[in-house]
Amino acid sequence: MNIAVIGTGYVGTTTSVALALSGHTVFAIDHDEEKIEQLKTASLPFYEEDIEELLKKLTVTGKLSFTTRLDECIDQCSILFITVGTPSLLGGQADLSYVEEVARAIGNLMNEYKVIVMKSTVPVGTSAKIKNIIINELTKRNLKIPFDLISNPEFLREGKALYDALHPERIVIGCETRKAQKMMKQLYNNVSSEILFTTPINAEMIKYASNAFLATKISFINELARFCERIGANVGEVAKGMGMDSRIGTQFLQAGIGYGGSCFPKDISALMALASENNITLNILQAVTHVNQTQTDWFLEKIKKALGTLSGKRIAILGLTFKPNTDDIREAPSLKMIDYLLQNNAFITAYDPQGTEHVKKIYPSIIYTSNPMEALNEADAVLILTEWKEIIEIDWKTAISIISSPFVFDGRNVLNASDMKKLGYHYAGVGMPDF
Ligand code: UGA
């Protein structure tokens, strides 16, 4: 099939690559000329493993091409994906202006039946609004062309986006006609995952509910971590024991310094804003947000208590991105920590394999190092904020000789507490007795 994917962010680009790999011919479109020029040279504007290599291959075979011109390829494409961003507005609602702009462009340009697939994360009920925008544009052209607007939410994880796009655990399709259903089945013919066909509004809710539930698991375990620590229990063991019950499961019960990224915080705000517009209070999600927002404060309090004061202390921060294997620093807990440490006159050295350049733009005064050992030099305390492999695998035996005072605060519980203690460190994780 010939497919247009409009919006070349990480979702759009990953979706384009996955569709091209499964045999479709894909036109990836964006109005940002610079971005398209960069993608044409098979270079990614963001960091995501394995995609660049595939871009090179797919662009050479002609299965995937990049363009700014929807008008030049729309007639060849039977399915049009919308994968533009929906950032947060000040009140927490999702900003739909990019989605609406694409809908107007489609309504302006389409000349025959199309299946239009909404992959951007949009508030529940948006598909119906977007449908009306397209109808309005067609009416302006005195046309009555049939089309189907489908909700097909994405469940990709940053850092594992390509794997998730190629091996989705589920495909959710919110769709109203048999014709569109048949075309979507054909589109995903080569993917062996289970497909749930439902209504567009259900599909939109499934996306938000899934992210909200995962965030709930994280805040649940983080709040419990504070409790465990107070009474001398170890949250890691507790989570392990809980997870042995298959009804609970082990995933997303890793206590730490809270969730970040471009999805959980934004999607939960959007869901709560929509609920409030409908006179519903989502009490659980309010608590989830509160726990997440205060988790970094709680962690910083521990550090302050252990060090006495932060003023004049040299703090080594290991990990800046909101999770490993990405260069994304949006809503990363590290940013809140840096803010607080600088306000308290600490001196920071930081290391991250991919996120440094982005953080440098916000905090130019920090010293950034190109390897983790350099960041540890003469540190009064080490903070592990992202569980990058490069950070977990530090030679902690050697490191202790270059650190000033051996305080390690592990915000991701990735090191072995008793091993660290044996090496001579004062080790503090999240939700466990301090060593
Ligand atoms: C999340 C969802 O997992 C994807 O399914 C979804 O498609 C995506 O949002 C989206 O809506 O686009 P992502 O934001 O890439 O994916 O990252 P996650 O792996 O879910 O992690 C989110 C945050 O939770 C990270 O800061 C991570 O460190 C934190 N986390 C995760 C924990 O603190 N503990 C855990 O046990 C798991």
Side-chain angles (χ1 to χ4, degrees), residues 171-183:
I171 295 173
V172 173
I173 296 175
C175 140
E176 283 164 325
T177 70
R178 284 202 179 279
K179 184 174 181 181
Q181 204 179 94
K182 208 170 144 203
M183 283 175 72

Side-chain angles (χ1 to χ4, degrees), residues 10-11 121 154-159 164 170 207 211 214 218 221-222 250-264 267 322-324 333 387 412:
Y10 105 94
V11 172
T121 299
E154 58 87 13
F155 302 108
L156 311 177
R157 291 163 298 176
E158 285 188 39
D164 287 350
R170 64 190 149 156
K207 166 67 190 180
N211 274 0
L214 291 172
I218 299 171
I221 206 69
N222 282 340
T250 48
Q251 294 194 55
F252 280 73
L253 285 181
Q254 175 71 35
I257 46 174
Y259 58 79
S262 65
C263 306
F264 288 177
D267 292 352
F322 85 100
K323 66 188 260 189
E387 65 275 36
R412 299 293 182 179

